[in-house]
Structure formats: structure tokens, C-alpha cells
Amino acid sequence: MRAIRPSLMIALRALRRNKLQTALTMIGITIGVATVLTMIALGSGAESAIEDQVRAAGMNTIIVTAGNYKTKTEDSGSAVEEQGRIAPRVEFVPAVWRNPQGAGPLMPLFRPVFHPEDDPMEKHDHPTASQRLGDTEAGLGAAATLTSADADAIRKISGVQYVSEGIHNNAHVAWGAKRWFTRLHGDDVSLPLIRRAWVFEHGRFFSKREQSHAAQVVVLGSIVSQRLFGAENPVGKQVSIYKQPFEVVGVVASGSWLVAAAPGDDQFDAIYVPFTTIQRLLNLSKLNDITITTSSSGEVSRISQQITDLLRARHRIGVKDPDDFTVTSQARQALAKGGMLPQVARSVVGNIAGLEKVTLEQLGKTLDRASRTMTALLASVAAVSLLVGGIGIMNIMLLSVTERTREIGIRRAVGAKANDVLRQFLMEAVALSVTGGLAGIAIGLAVSNIIGQWVQWSVSISALAVALSFGIAAMVGIFFGYYPARQASRIAPIDALRYE
Amino acid sequence: MAVISVRNLTKTYHVGEVAVHALRGVSLEIEKGEFVAVVGPSGSGKSTLMHILGCLDSPTSGEYFLDGADVSHLSDDELSEVRNHKIGFVFQGFNLLPRTSALENVELPLLYNAGSLSATERRRRAMEALAAVGLRDRAEHHPNQLSGGQQQRVAIARALMNRPSILLADEPTGNLDSRTSIEVLDIFQSLREERGITIVLITHEPSVAEYGSRIVAFKDGRIVSDTPNLRQRVARGELAEMPIAREDA
């Protein structure tokens, strides 16, 4: 160990003498290490991206759904009363994770929520949708208790950021001979403000004016647009929904490549019309749900409580009677009590109302696929460039050994041991690869930041990742430098001295 | 006690099928403070002898005692240590590291010295050694910025770094003009007189050999004569008589 420092000095000095050669040799390692670092940064960035998205989706969102499926006729007495007063009503949540078919720990989260009214044997304390609206309307109003007036009242609560009324149904959209069966959302103009990942490929969302006039305008999800119009711009075209003409005003697509639009999803394989239009066409006055975002995520509990109180008052619900609506909000604490990981719990929070379900489902799937592809690609680029870089180092070192045989002889003559020579050349190779590695780390940091900003992906680079990249560079140097160094150390002193 | 004691040394090389007998039984005793000039035509085996004396090569048979210790059967690492501690080399081609300053060249043996010295101490000693050969102000020059005589003086300073028992000089004047040759020989003579360093000088020029205190003549791998030089030439006196040539400094 005694000669490590001198060996390092000698090595660095040797490298400084041939700057161009040194730089060229290092490039391979630099690219390799930069790739490794970028790979790690993007990989761990993917994880925090999920968390960010989940947080963005779920943390400040409150969803009020019509009906209250938890309180059943069997739940009699004080229990009902107790629950009737508890808000937010996180008790509904178990329906999500209770799903017995769940294969993995995460899978139940992405299962469609089991609708309690789907169970014909279940008894309810309220008229079910089919009782109230008739079978045709069953899909629309599960329990029609929410009104636009409720939404307006909620808008007045301080701390409420956006409120969007929602009516949901399925519908055929037709353009010429082409038809597409999709999800129809009757929504409020503020929906794009709640859906943060939206971009408009063409056109715009419907306007406040169109909403108040219950205009027959429609915003197509990118999948629907693609199915009906292909690559064409559908803005200005007339499509027909419920045999009524609707003017296409915009096409909405995912602004984040993490959330890829897919057929069958709830956001982009869907169409959006003003809720007022649906109400007019279907002669409805009720809403399925009201989605609320709060200005600050810390106020979710307070506002949930206020909404509950407000709606109870508005619906004239007696003190002892249960709610006729469900307020769902960030239920992380309640979920965490069930032994779930915080991030899983958060996903569930985003999952509750079904509104964010698709986002998360897509996010999970897309992210998984994308990051696996990306990692595989980067890993192979890294492996190839590290291999090529390593061979480059080996080549330059073998050349160096030959060129400097005389030097080896001189060093041996003044007392260098074979191991000193080995160490010197090994150090040189390592210094070469490590210097290249450091440059690679710098480039990797820069590149990951650029990529991060470009695709809005939070890249996270840990000290461990940097240390690992550095270690890889050093390993490459040792691995590919060992053979030339051993060759150097094996030259007999006298042969080295005589070498011309 | 003899610094160098060699008995029945043989060395045989195999060049393809042919065996070359470079040394055919050499016995030699060199006392401390002697200035031995080994002369002989090229191919006489004198260089082979020097390589063995310098522990750069091992004999095929025979014994070699350096400072009383048998060094003929040492391992590679042990030989390295012997070279580092007990032997200083001066070569015909100077053998300085290119693109490396004179100071760093002189420091080199200290780098491989087991008793690790601090960088400042190494530097100080190297500077001292350079000053002793009159090159203090050339410390940062690279070999290609130095004249032949200066390069050889750097090599001598390097050879003396670890205070060796013997100084082995292989044709040290071969690449030098006559005045510079005499200057180098003057350094050898004064080293011997002032510090009592044992010097073995190998040359094919009888005139160079005349500066030694003892002349050993080689032919065909054997010693043909070994006599004290009664008419030793004194480099310093000759330099004084020589017209002042343009110093290469």
C-alpha cells in the first residue's frame, strides 16, 4: 500500500503528458458512466413521478357522490347515526381493497370499483337508481340527490378552488358511417383545471357561455377523435350523440407521456359535453357527482366537513338520519391504519371516486412499460459503451506499455518491484477510467436534468447513484487495465532496459 | 571485506538452438573504495558481468556476494530491493525518464525506497544531489533541455540517491565528447576520493579505463588480465590543462 500515492502521482503525470490521447480514450467510459447515471436517475425518478402524480391527483381532491351506499337497512340503530355524522366518509373505501380477486398487493387498486347496487340481493335504505329512474336511466343516476344548486353552494365555501359538476353515461358517437361507443361525461367548464395532465390537441374545452346555454358542443378524447377522424382535425365537424348534432370544439389528449391514452380508459376514450346539455337532453336535474379541489391540500378535511354540513342542511337531513351523499377525500390516515404503505394508500385515495382511477391505472401501466424499455435501452447503451471504453483503455495501455518499456527498465533498475510497475500501470488505467467517469457523472447529471425538464419527470440522483457510477468506472479501469499492467510487470528488468 | 565477491560466474544465453556463453567462469574481488575499469571488446562479456553485478540479471552458475550477502539466488523482489539500496547505475544512454524534470528523475529511487519519505524530504534530498553535480539551477529542466554531459550528471545524481555500496557505470562516456567525458570521469574520481564510493566502470576504450585504479580486461567471457593501474590518469589535472572549452551550461 505504501506506494499508492506515488503511483497515483506517476499515473496522473503520465496522463497529463498525452492530453489528447487521454481524452479520446476516456470518451467511451464517459458515455458509459453518463448513461448509467442517467439510467439510475430516470429509474428512481419514475418512482417519485408516480408519487408526485398520485399526490397531484388525490391530495387536494374531494369528490361528492350522490347516494350513500354504506348505510344499509341492516345497519340499524346507533351505528347508523354515528356513521351518519362522520365525515369524510372513508368507510366506503374498503370496497376497493376488499376485492377478493386481487392477485398482487397492488392489483386490487386498479380493479373497477364494485358497485354496491350491482348486488341484486343488497337492501338499501334509499330508492335505488332503477327504482327511481327506471332501468334505462340506471347507469346515469345511481342515486339522484345532488343538484347544480348544491355545487353552487359548495363554490361559496372559502378555500374551494374549483368545482365541477358531473353526469356520466355511455353513448354512441357517430360521424358519418363511423360509430364509437364510449364514455360520456357531462362536466363543468372547470374540469380542465382539475385535470392537470390535459393538453388540447385541437381546439379548446367548452366555454362558460356554451355551458350556460346548454350548447350542443363536444370535446373528444384523443382516442375517440382518432377512431372517428383518424389524423384529421375534427374541430368544427358535426358528430351525433343521442341522435342529436353536436359540434366538436376540441380534442383533449394527455400532456404527460406517463399517462398514455388507451382505448377503454375513462379520460381519453371519452367525450365531454357541458353537464347542462346532458341535463337538457335527458331531462335531468340531478348530478352524479361533484368534484372539488381545494386551494391547499391541508384544508381538505375542514372543507370536507363543511361540505357535509352544508349538504346535510341543504338536503334537510335530520340529525339522526344518514347522509344521502358520500364525501370522499384524502383518506390516507384511515387507509394507513389498515396496514398499507403510505404511497399505496395515496394511490387508493386517488382511486376512490373512480375519477382518478384511470389516471393511476394508466400511469402504473405506462410507467412500468416505459421505464422498463428505457432502462433496458440505457442499460444496453451503457454496457456497450463501457465495454468499448474498457477495450479502448486496454488498447491504449498495451500501447503505452510497449512505448514505455524503456521507462519500465529504468524504474526496475533503480529499485521498482514488479508490483510497483503493475500498480503504476493499473493506476494509470484506473485514473483514465475514473477521470472519464467523473466527466461522465457531470454529463449524466446534466443530461438527466435536461430530460427531467423536458418530459416533466422528476429525476432523482442520489449520492449512492453517483458513487455507484464512480465505482463502475473504477471497476472498468481495473478490469481492462489489469492485463496490460501485468504484461508491464512481467518484462524482465534487463530486457526492458535493452529495449529499443 | 570485499564489497563484491564473484566466484566462477557463468552465464549462458540460448539464442534459438545456439547456446551463447557470455561468461565462462569469472572470479573477481572488489574492495571498498576501488575504481575498477573493466575493458574489453564488445561481446567479451563485460556488459553481462555488469548486469549480473547490478542484479539486473542472474548468473547461470557461480556465486555473487554483495557486501557479504549472497545475492545470486534472490527472488525478483529481493533483487529489486538490492538494486534500490546498494547499487547505482550510470548508463551510456543516460536512461533518464523523458518528459520528466531532472529533479523528478533524481527522486525516482526514493520513490521505491521501503523507508517512505515525505514528498518534501524526497525533494530536498534530490535537490541536494543535483546541487552536488552542479545542476541546482537545472532542476526543473526536462532531459531534452539538457546537454549530454548535464544528462549524465543527472543520472549520476540519481545513482547516488540511496547511498549505494557500488556505482556501476556502463560506457558512461560513450555518448559524450572528450571534454565532457573527462568531466564525468572527474566526478567519479572525486566521488571515490571524497566519499569512498566503489566504482565499477565498463568501457571498450582503453583510454577511459586508464582513469581507474585497477584495470580488468575481458575477452571471450573470461578475465584475461587484472592489474592495479599504476599510471592512473587524473581527470581534474587534465581538465585544468585543457583549453577552456565552451561550457555547455
Side-chain angles (χ1 to χ4, degrees), chain A residues 141-452:
Chain A
T145 56
L146 292 174
T147 63
S148 291
D150 289 336
D152 288 335
I154 291 169
R155 276 195 183 91
K156 294 194 181 94
I157 296 172
S158 75
V160 167
Q161 192 181 22
Y162 304 117
V163 174
S164 178
E165 295 104 316
I167 299 173
H168 311 291
N169 203 350
N170 296 322
H172 275 104
V173 197
W175 186 67
K178 288 187 188 162
R179 284 162 69 82
W180 186 249
F181 186 68
T182 189
R183 193 86 180 124
L184 168 71
H185 296 300
D187 269 303
D188 184 85
V189 282
S190 33
L191 190 68
L193 301 168
I194 294 170
R195 300 291 177 83
R196 297 178 191 187
W198 276 11
V199 291
F200 285 88
E201 251 176 22
H202 301 292
R204 53 175 175 86
F205 206 64
F206 48 80
S207 68
K208 207 158 190 141
R209 207 181 127 81
E210 284 161 341
Q211 177 170 303
S212 56
H213 285 90
Q216 290 184 201
V217 289
V218 63
V219 174
L220 305 181
S222 55
I223 297 288
V224 177
S225 167
Q226 199 190 327
R227 294 292 156 154
L228 295 180
F229 297 94
E232 228 180 303
N233 180 355
V235 171
K237 301 252 163 55
Q238 296 274 331
V239 294
S240 101
I241 305 161
Y242 298 139
K243 300 195 174 96
Q244 295 280 325
F246 275 75
E247 187 193 344
V248 178
V249 294
V251 175
V252 68
S254 172
S256 160
W257 65 275
L258 300 178
V259 188
D265 73 21
D266 198 44
Q267 280 196 59
F268 306 110
D269 185 1
I271 57 174
Y272 299 86
V273 299
F275 73 98
T276 49
T277 312
I278 298 197
Q279 284 179 329
R280 181 171 61 81
L281 284 178
L282 300 183
N283 195 22
L284 293 164
S285 58
K286 307 292 184 183
L287 301 171
N288 284 108
D289 56 36
I290 303 173
T291 305
I292 301 122
T293 56
T294 63
S295 312
S296 137
S297 56
E299 289 196 301
V300 169
S301 305
R302 175 183 69 79
I303 291 171
S304 297
Q305 184 59 57
Q306 260 178 279
I307 290 171
T308 308
D309 293 343
L310 179 81
L311 292 181
R312 282 182 70 85
R314 287 182 58 83
H315 295 181
R316 300 179 207 289
I317 296 167
V319 182
K320 299 226 166 189
D321 295 326
D323 298 346
D324 61 355
F325 54 88
T326 309
V327 177
T328 331
S329 69
Q330 195 244 56
R332 179 175 156 203
Q333 282 175 323
L335 289 167
K337 269 186 218 151
M340 297 178 94
L341 293 167
Q343 56 267 50
V344 175
R346 273 204 292 280
S347 324
V348 174
V349 171
N351 207 1
I352 286 169
L355 190 72
E356 302 303 329
K357 177 191 68 155
V358 177
T359 314
L360 288 164
E361 191 180 354
Q362 288 172 334
L363 191 69
K365 244 192 279 169
T366 316
L367 209 68
D368 193 44
R369 197 176 49 223
S371 66
R372 237 186 295 141
T373 314
M374 190 94 162
T375 306
L377 182 74
L378 288 176
S380 45
V381 171
V384 169
S385 46
L386 284 174
L387 181 73
V388 171
I391 292 170
I393 285 182
M394 193 183 219
N395 182 35
I396 212 80
M397 289 313 294
L398 282 172
L399 207 68
S400 178
V401 169
T402 315
E403 260 175 13
R404 288 155 64 197
T405 305
R406 195 62 177 257
E407 176 187 327
I408 295 167
I410 297 168
R411 290 182 186 277
R412 295 300 314 265
V414 300
K417 293 178 182 161
N419 268 335
D420 292 323
V421 173
L422 181 121
R423 201 179 298 131
Q424 179 193 332
F425 280 89
L426 200 56
M427 279 286 195
E428 233 172 272
V430 172
L432 205 60
S433 66
V434 159
T435 315
L438 287 176
I441 286 172
I443 292 172
L445 288 173
V447 166
S448 348
N449 277 323
I450 290 167
I451 291 181

